[in-house]
C-alpha cells in the first residue's frame, strides 16, 4: 500500500497581472510547479526522477526536455562546466 500525501500552495496574483501572465504562460499553477521543480533540480534538491514525478510526466526524457526548456541543463553541474572550460582553455592554448 502506497499512500501519497501532497501539499497545496496558494499564490495571490494581483488581478491586473493575472490576465497578462495567463496569456503568456497559460496555466499559472502548472507554470509555477514547473518553475519550482526546475529550481529545486538546479539546487540539487530533487533528482530527475523526482522532477518527473512532481510535474506528473510519463518519462525521464520529458523531464529532461522540461528542464532544458526552463534553462536547467540536466546532468550538468557548475563544477563540470568549470572543468570543461579549463579543458577548452588548455586546448585552445596549443594552437
Amino acid at each position: 500500500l502506497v499512500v501519497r500525501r501532497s501539499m497545496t500552495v496558494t499564490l495571490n496574483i494581483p488581478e491586473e497581472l493575472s490576465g497578462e501572465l495567463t496569456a503568456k504562460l497559460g496555466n499559472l499553477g502548472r507554470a509555477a510547479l514547473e518553475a519550482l521543480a526546475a529550481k529545486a533540480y538546479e539546487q540539487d534538491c530533487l533528482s530527475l526522477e523526482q522532477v518527473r514525478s512532481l510535474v506528473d510526466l510519463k518519462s525521464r526524457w520529458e523531464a529532461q526536455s522540461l528542464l532544458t526548456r526552463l534553462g536547467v541543463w540536466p546532468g550538468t553541474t557548475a563544477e563540470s562546466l568549470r572543468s570543461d572550460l579549463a579543458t577548452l582553455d588548455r586546448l585552445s592554448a596549443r594552437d
Side-chain angles (χ1 to χ4, degrees), residues 13-62:
I13 300 171
E15 190 173 329
E16 64 272 10
L17 300 176
S18 65
E20 184 176 340
L21 288 171
T22 299
K24 290 183 179 179
L25 300 175
N27 180 325
L28 296 183
R30 178 68 183 194
L33 186 61
E34 290 176 355
L36 173 66
K39 189 65 171 178
Y41 180 85
E42 184 178 49
Q43 293 186 356
D44 206 25
C45 297
L46 293 179
S47 68
L48 186 60
E49 174 57 25
Q50 289 171 319
V51 168
R52 186 207 61 75
S53 178
L54 178 63
V55 295
D56 196 30
L57 297 172
K58 291 182 172 50
S59 72
R60 70 181 302 258
W61 306 113
E62 289 180 46

Side-chain angles (χ1 to χ4, degrees), residues 57-90:
L57 297 172
K58 291 182 172 50
S59 72
R60 70 181 302 258
W61 306 113
E62 289 180 46
Q64 282 184 305
S65 178
L66 169 71
L67 292 172
T68 300
R69 182 172 52 82
L70 295 174
V72 177
W73 308 108
T76 302
T77 64
E79 183 54 40
S80 69
L81 287 175
R82 280 192 284 276
S83 174
D84 290 348
L85 287 172
T87 300
L88 286 172
D89 286 343
R90 281 195 311 277

